[in-house]
């Protein structure tokens, strides 16, 4: 059964990492609708009550002015799983008392990615201790700085979807968006890429599965196989590199 999923509560970001696989550097400002989120989380709790972890992310989730609502709502429908707010930590030391109390009261874990930038880390660690909020590094250690993974996306769906699925590092990043579950982060967010660069990488009804129209068993089965969108990616030529901020150039994601 599906034991993990993630959901954006913010589309855009304030750090703008190069080659971000959520396309956050090129996304317009946007926030998840609260009523839609409530409805989706309720349905997911009916389908998959035993998930072990849910991530609230973006974009940068701390940019969402109503982040407390999303944390409370997630805990309301999922009383037992670990719930993580995954952040770049640049705003963490500026969050107000109501945020920290909400994290504490709802047993929310703050999960930060360690970027090679100057942040007052001692300040937010002190706040975590003060409010008894668990704070962990995404990589598990501050000794491991963030690196960049570049997807090689093509203009045509002519790549080997089975090879891509087998070797993809994102195929378990199941993403909930607008009532649908997506295999990974790329298809639900490719709209930002298409709009910014005036491209038309196609999303079909076979690239997601609706949570209201299908059973848990059907969703599990769907997520065990490649999707048509996998044909756009060339996993074999994906590369790791040193982290940097985006120049908003199409080459960060795309091979002509």
């Amino acid at each position: 059964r599906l034991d993990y999923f993630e959901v954006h509560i913010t589309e855009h970001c304030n750090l703008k990492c190069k080659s971000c696989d959520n396309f956050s550097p090129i996304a317009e400002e946007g926030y998840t609708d609260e009523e839609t989120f409530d409805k989706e989380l309720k349905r997911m709790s009916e389908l998959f009550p035993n998930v072990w972890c849910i991530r609230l992310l973006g974009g940068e989730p701390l940019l969402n002015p109503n982040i407390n609502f999303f944390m409370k709502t997630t805990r309301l429908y999922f009383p037992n799983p670990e719930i993580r707010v995954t952040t770049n930590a640049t705003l963490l030391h500026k969050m107000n008392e109501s945020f920290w109390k909400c994290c504490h009261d709802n047993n929310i874990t703050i999960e930060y990615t360690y970027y090679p930038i100057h942040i007052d880390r001692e300040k937010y660690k002190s706040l975590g201790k003060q409010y008894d909020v668990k704070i962990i590094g995404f990589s598990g250690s501050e000794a491991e700085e963030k690196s960049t993974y570049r997807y090689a996306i093509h203009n045509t769906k002519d790549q080997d979807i089975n090879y891509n699925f087998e070797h993809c590092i994102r195929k378990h990043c199941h993403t909930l968006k607008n009532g649908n579950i997506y295999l990974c982060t790329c298809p639900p967010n490719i709209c930002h890429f298409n709009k910014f660069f005036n491209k038309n990488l196609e999303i079909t009804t076979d690239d997601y599965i609706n949570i209201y129209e299908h059973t848990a068993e059907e969703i599990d089965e769907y997520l065990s196989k490649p999707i048509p969108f996998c044909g756009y990616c060339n996993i074999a030529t994906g590369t790791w590199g040193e982290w940097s901020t985006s120049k908003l150039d199409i080459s960060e994601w795309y091979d002509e």
Side-chain angles (χ1 to χ4, degrees), residues 114-130:
Y114 188 78
Y115 292 99
I117 56 177
H118 177 71
I119 299 176
D120 190 348
R121 305 184 194 280
E122 294 308 313
K123 175 69 177 296
Y124 68 69
K125 289 178 182 178
S126 175
L127 287 166
K129 290 180 180 178
Q130 178 182 341

Side-chain angles (χ1 to χ4, degrees), residues 1-20:
R1 289 296 179 91
L2 178 75
D3 61 2
Y4 166 85
F5 68 92
E6 55 192 50
V7 55
H8 280 200
I9 63 172
T10 307
E11 295 300 324
H12 57 295
C13 188
N14 61 336
L15 190 54
K16 300 184 181 299
C17 301
K18 179 180 179 181
S19 301
C20 170

Side-chain angles (χ1 to χ4, degrees), residues 24 42 45 68 119 135 138 140 163 175 185 205 221 226 229 242:
S24 302
K42 182 177 186 294
S45 70
N68 290 3
I119 299 176
I135 300 179
F138 186 85
Y163 177 91
T175 301
T185 57
T205 55
E221 174 64 19
F229 193 89
E242 184 177 347

Side-chain angles (χ1 to χ4, degrees), residues 66-73 75 96-109 131 133:
N66 296 319
I67 186 172
N68 290 3
F69 166 84
F70 294 94
M71 296 191 293
K72 291 177 184 177
T73 302
R75 182 56 74 199
N96 61 29
E97 185 176 52
S98 69
F99 167 81
W100 290 103
K101 285 185 175 180
C102 185
C103 289
H104 172 80
D105 293 345
N106 293 281
N107 192 22
I108 304 295
T109 296
Y131 291 100
V133 173

Side-chain angles (χ1 to χ4, degrees), residues 9 19 40 66 71 80 101 129 135 149 167 186 188 190 203 230 236:
I9 63 172
S19 301
E40 290 177 346
N66 296 319
M71 296 191 293
N80 298 317
K101 285 185 175 180
K129 290 180 180 178
I135 300 179
Y149 182 77
H167 295 88
C186 198
I190 198 67
I203 297 294
C230 293

Side-chain angles (χ1 to χ4, degrees), residues 132-200:
D132 190 23
V133 173
K134 184 179 179 181
I135 300 179
I136 62 174
F138 186 85
S139 64
S141 169
E142 285 199 354
E144 184 178 342
E145 289 187 350
K146 182 73 169 67
S147 55
T148 293
Y149 182 77
R150 178 189 181 273
Y151 275 99
I153 302 175
H154 290 252
N155 194 46
T156 55
K157 265 191 255 184
D158 56 1
Q159 303 301 304
D160 185 339
I161 64 172
N162 293 304
Y163 177 91
N164 284 344
F165 179 80
E166 181 180 354
H167 295 88
C168 183
I169 65 173
R170 304 297 189 206
K171 66 183 177 184
H172 299 299
C173 298
H174 305 317
T175 301
L176 174 66
K177 190 170 187 176
N178 296 328
N180 301 310
I181 288 283
Y182 293 82
L183 181 67
C184 72
T185 57
C186 198
N189 300 304
I190 198 67
C191 54
H192 304 308
F193 176 90
N194 283 338
K195 185 172 184 178
F196 192 86
F197 294 115
N198 194 28
K199 294 293 182 180
N200 189 31

